[in-house]
Amino acid sequence: MRNDHRPVGALVRRLRLAAGLSMTDLGRRSTIPVATISRLEVGQLRPRRSLLSAIALGIDPDTQSEHVAELVAAAGGDAALAADGRWPDYRRRRITEGILRGDVPLPSKLARRIQLHQAADAAQRAADSLMPRALDDAETLHEMTMLLREATRLRELAGGTVELHLPGGRVLRAGQ
């Protein structure tokens, strides 16, 4: 078993700083306590794969898998990691809660599609609110039509419905 955990800690610190994150920011984004991040960065903690995966997600969800591979290698490989035991289930629950709170970032392509669907929904709601007046006012009818066209354009940009299946059977949906 490897006792020197400084290389993985140094890499976490380097990745965190390169992403412009404080320990507090990384803790919130990865659902890892700041004290744990601190202990990891100074080499006082033998990491588990689930911990490294959560930290990599918090640093950058778009490159999480690449960072996990780097972090595992810096830790000395899978054999040098602490046994995960029940930690993966615990981390999945914490990350799910973080996603629902909006603390844990989603990959940028997915987040962008969700934002487009939300903007389309807002345009649709605005158009719906104009409907009673649109029947009597040409200007309001025009405004409603423009909002509906914008909602359609945004939905086309977003693509089909986005479904994010979370542990515990939760499904987040954006789009029709």
Side-chain angles (χ1 to χ4, degrees), residues 24-83:
T24 302
D25 293 337
L26 179 56
R28 180 182 46 76
R29 291 169 56 106
S30 64
T31 71
I32 303 293
V34 172
T36 302
I37 295 169
S38 177
R39 288 180 51 225
L40 179 63
E41 286 190 4
V42 297
Q44 295 176 343
L45 182 68
R46 183 176 175 209
R48 294 169 170 24
R49 179 178 274 279
S50 61
L51 173 72
L52 298 178
S53 183
I55 287 196
L57 175 65
I59 289 171
D60 185 353
D62 290 329
T63 59
Q64 178 188 9
S65 60
E66 297 163 31
H67 288 326
V68 170
E70 282 181 276
L71 291 166
V72 169
D78 280 317
L81 297 176

Side-chain angles (χ1 to χ4, degrees), residues 105-118:
L106 296 172
S108 59
K109 287 182 182 177
L110 181 61
R112 177 73 178 138
R113 289 184 61 206
I114 291 170
Q115 289 170 345
L116 288 167
H117 278 299
Q118 289 171 336

